Amino acid sequence: MGDFQVIAKEFVKFYYETFDGNRAALSNLYRDHSMLTFETDSFLGTAGILEKLTNLPFQQIQHRTDTVDPQPGSEDGTSIVVLVTGALMVEGSDRPMSFTQTFQLKKDATNWYVFNDIFRIVYPAA
Amino acid sequence: MGDFQVIAKEFVKFYYETFDGNRAALSNLYRDHSMLTFETDSFLGTAGILEKLTNLPFQQIQHRTDTVDPQPGSEDGTSIVVLVTGALMVEGSDRPMSFTQTFQLKKDATNWYVFNDIFRIVYPAA
């Protein structure tokens, strides 16, 4: 696997483990110019993104990732685009829901962080 | 809507109309450094991408887009990341399938083109 594949898969594993275990700790993954689109709502910057994520109307959630497909997002090695599909289950529900999520990861001097984050529940087609 | 939203929505409309009407004409949207991940297969460059798309094992397909969520993919206005969800139906089937697709559009001197293209069918979660 290329480096971008290793980085993307490690990021995705860490992201959902953190989301499911301690959502507030996701703040380390965002920057002040990061963007989140969560269903129909959009947020700019770590503070706004974390306020949304930590106030979602459930205490417990479990993500399962089914597919993780990364590509280099630029030719200079400082960007990775990754499309995730999977299922999630929130407390009190016995029905998993399909979701899809796209990240663009960018590299600053020392770390990879989330520049773009777009999340959608996928409802059955028919 | 910001420019990126208008551009993304027009691109998505054009992309699926072209895909459903004349797949070979999609070649104008890719460049030699463009990437396509279609389910588990990956392709680099217009020729390889078009060979894959034009040889998919169906003659007729119809896409329906349910959500189109774009974000600026860079701070200099030369990139747009967009996550699409929807349903597609291929000839001989009366069962639509959910899909998700991520594009990163980039702008060269005069045109927007597809740098990243990642496509996945989304199967029901349970």
Side-chain angles (χ1 to χ4, degrees):
Chain A
M1 288 199 294
D3 271 359
F4 70 95
Q5 291 174 301
V6 174
I7 293 162
K9 285 177 197 297
E10 287 179 354
F11 164 78
V12 167
K13 182 169 184 290
F14 180 77
Y15 179 89
Y16 293 110
E17 284 177 357
T18 306
F19 200 114
D20 296 354
N22 177 18
R23 261 177 275 163
L26 291 170
S27 65
N28 297 324
L29 301 178
Y30 296 95
R31 298 290 183 272
D32 285 343
H33 54 292
S34 299
M35 288 163 272
L36 167 68
T37 301
F38 190 92
E39 294 286 282
T40 56
D41 297 331
S42 291
F43 305 88
L44 173 67
T46 308
I49 291 169
L50 262 287
E51 186 181 352
K52 174 65 178 180
L53 295 180
T54 54
N55 286 298
L56 289 169
F58 46 78
Q59 293 303 310
Q60 293 194 319
I61 183 168
Q62 199 164 6
H63 289 81
R64 182 189 80 212
T65 56
D66 292 335
T67 65
V68 179
D69 292 306
Q71 291 181 350
S74 65
E75 296 183 278
D76 63 2
T78 63
S79 163
I80 299 170
V81 175
V82 55
L83 174 61
V84 179
T85 71
L88 56 83
M89 197 175 309
V90 298
E91 59 194 352
S93 170
D94 57 358
R95 298 193 56 149
M97 291 185 289
S98 297
F99 74 92
T100 184
Q101 193 159 8
T102 292
F103 300 97
Q104 182 181 199
L105 309 178
K106 292 201 181 192
K107 195 177 187 177
D108 62 18
T110 51
N111 293 302
W112 288 91
Y113 66 93
V114 178
F115 187 80
N116 300 105
D117 181 351
I118 312 174
F119 171 91
R120 277 282 181 181
I121 295 290
V122 180
Y123 297 97
Chain B
M1 289 199 296
D3 271 359
F4 71 94
Q5 290 174 302
V6 175
I7 293 162
K9 285 177 196 298
E10 287 180 353
F11 164 80
V12 167
K13 182 169 185 289
F14 180 76
Y15 180 89
Y16 293 111
E17 284 177 358
T18 306
F19 199 113
D20 296 354
N22 176 17
R23 260 177 275 162
L26 292 171
S27 65
N28 297 325
L29 301 178
Y30 296 95
R31 298 290 183 272
D32 285 342
H33 54 291
S34 300
M35 288 163 273
L36 167 67
T37 300
F38 190 92
E39 294 285 285
T40 56
D41 297 331
S42 292
F43 305 89
L44 173 67
T46 309
I49 290 170
L50 263 286
E51 186 181 350
K52 174 64 179 180
L53 295 180
T54 55
N55 285 297
L56 289 170
F58 46 77
Q59 294 302 310
Q60 293 193 321
I61 183 169
Q62 200 164 7
H63 289 80
R64 182 190 81 212
T65 56
D66 292 336
T67 65
V68 178
D69 292 305
Q71 292 181 349
S74 65
E75 295 182 279
D76 63 2
T78 63
S79 163
I80 299 169
V81 174
V82 54
L83 174 63
V84 179
T85 71
L88 55 84
M89 199 174 311
V90 298
E91 60 194 350
S93 170
D94 56 359
R95 297 194 56 148
M97 291 184 291
S98 297
F99 75 92
T100 184
Q101 193 159 8
T102 293
F103 300 97
Q104 183 182 200
L105 309 178
K106 292 202 180 191
K107 196 176 187 178
D108 62 18
T110 51
N111 293 303
W112 289 91
Y113 67 93
V114 177
F115 187 79
N116 300 104
D117 180 350
I118 312 175
F119 172 90
R120 277 283 179 179
I121 296 289
V122 180
Y123 297 97

